[in-house]
Amino acid sequence: MPPVITLDDLAAMIAEDPHGHRYEVSPEGALSVVPPPDSERAAIASRLLVWLAVAGWPAEQVLQAAGIRIAGRTAKVPVYPT
């Protein structure tokens, strides 16, 4: 593991993980490995999606899985709230 993890390193780790783990780097530089979302998380996300849609939120503002694309990069880097 390199002493400093770059976005390229993070994208490579995500792309190479056969189990779907999420890799996150905190602003302080700490690396966290998070297991893939389970059915409980999916059910919560679905309930929130329906609740927001019924409340009138536009579909383009309600996302279950978001990420960022960085110009010149081939991988999408997920963004997960902490």
Side-chain angles (χ1 to χ4, degrees), residues 3-71:
V4 176
I5 298 172
T6 66
L7 283 175
D8 288 332
D9 296 331
L10 187 62
M13 290 168 37
I14 292 167
E16 293 173 11
D17 190 312
H19 304 290
H21 289 95
R22 299 175 298 177
Y23 294 83
E24 303 171 358
V25 178
S26 74
E28 296 79 24
L31 177 66
S32 298
V33 181
V34 183
D38 58 10
S39 60
E40 182 179 357
R41 183 216 174 266
I44 292 168
S46 295
R47 286 186 197 115
L48 284 170
L49 176 77
V50 170
W51 181 79
L52 291 169
V54 168
W57 283 68
E60 60 274 0
Q61 290 184 346
V62 181
L63 305 171
Q64 285 196 32
I68 58 172
R69 291 200 186 273
I70 300 171

